[in-house]
Amino acid sequence: MKILYISKYATFLPYSGSRQYYLCQEFIKLGHDVVLLCSNSNHLAVQTPKGFTFYKVYVIKSLKVLCFNVLRYSSSGSLFRIISWLHFDFYVLIHLLISRKYDRVIISSLSLTTILPVVILKSFFNYKIVLRSETYGLFRERF
């Protein structure tokens, strides 16, 4: 099965490995073909990929990672964070329009807007959508 895993805040090795990254690795062990879409804009990450313009492709243990270069911000309460969400969502929409080849689309660590491109294109390409809620981020920011 071809799986697209979308998570703006996912991190991957060698920068660090988030639970989204490790879940993708487990899907690969089960024999699935997985692509992880993420961004380099994460105000909680100690280190993120830099030095590219539009996106960069990484292949880590058979996992294809497409890391989009989106607007960076330093505060979770800033207007730039919302603009960064929309920037990432635009890239996701473009990727889905170009690719159109996934059996399942998993959306994780939802921003307020990340679901929009997938829902818009679901009617055209008949994607099966899985929403994965990650509430641990809310607690980490507060404590």
Side-chain angles (χ1 to χ4, degrees), residues 97-108:
L97 282 171
I98 292 170
S99 296
R100 300 190 233 172
K101 60 183 177 192
Y102 300 103
D103 300 311
R104 297 286 185 273
V105 177
I106 300 172
I107 308 168
S108 177

Side-chain angles (χ1 to χ4, degrees), residues 6 14 27 35-37 46 53-54 57 64 74 77 95 99-100 105 111-112 116 121 132 136 140:
I6 303 170
F27 286 141
V35 175
L36 173 62
L37 291 187
V46 175
T53 52
F54 177 58
V57 177
K64 184 176 179 184
S74 57
H95 177 78
S99 296
R100 300 190 233 172
V105 177
S111 66
L112 296 176
L116 294 177
L121 294 178
R132 186 166 185 269
Y136 70 93
R140 186 177 354 158

Side-chain angles (χ1 to χ4, degrees), residues 107-110 131-136:
I107 308 168
S108 177
S109 298
L110 295 172
L131 299 176
R132 186 166 185 269
S133 175
E134 307 229 5
T135 57
Y136 70 93

Side-chain angles (χ1 to χ4, degrees), residues 8-140:
K8 182 180 187 304
Y9 301 112
T11 56
F12 53 94
L13 300 177
Y15 301 100
S16 69
S18 63
R19 56 176 79 187
Q20 297 93 343
Y21 167 78
Y22 289 110
L23 185 58
C24 288
Q25 290 293 351
E26 292 300 316
F27 286 141
I28 289 170
K29 288 178 187 174
L30 293 172
H32 301 294
D33 183 15
V34 184
V35 175
L36 173 62
L37 291 187
C38 61
S39 80
N40 66 346
S41 180
N42 184 342
H43 68 285
L44 296 176
V46 175
Q47 187 180 13
T48 58
K50 295 179 182 125
F52 55 97
T53 52
F54 177 58
Y55 71 95
K56 189 167 182 177
V57 177
Y58 299 85
V59 178
I60 306 153
K61 298 180 183 176
S62 301
L63 173 63
K64 184 176 179 184
V65 178
L66 272 69
C67 184
F68 293 113
N69 185 17
V70 299
L71 179 68
R72 299 171 79 81
Y73 58 91
S74 57
S75 170
S76 63
S78 76
L79 176 62
F80 291 114
R81 184 176 188 186
I82 296 169
I83 295 169
S84 180
W85 290 342
L86 296 171
H87 195 188
F88 178 72
D89 297 339
F90 174 74
Y91 287 154
V92 169
L93 181 65
I94 296 300
H95 177 78
L96 289 171
L97 282 171
I98 292 170
S99 296
R100 300 190 233 172
K101 60 183 177 192
Y102 300 103
D103 300 311
R104 297 286 185 273
V105 177
I106 300 172
I107 308 168
S108 177
S109 298
L110 295 172
S111 66
L112 296 176
T113 59
T114 301
I115 188 135
L116 294 177
V118 178
V119 169
I120 290 168
L121 294 178
K122 180 186 182 325
S123 59
F124 295 108
F125 303 126
N126 200 28
Y127 290 129
K128 304 291 185 203
I129 299 174
V130 177
L131 299 176
R132 186 166 185 269
S133 175
E134 307 229 5
T135 57
Y136 70 93
L138 296 173
F139 297 110
R140 186 177 354 158

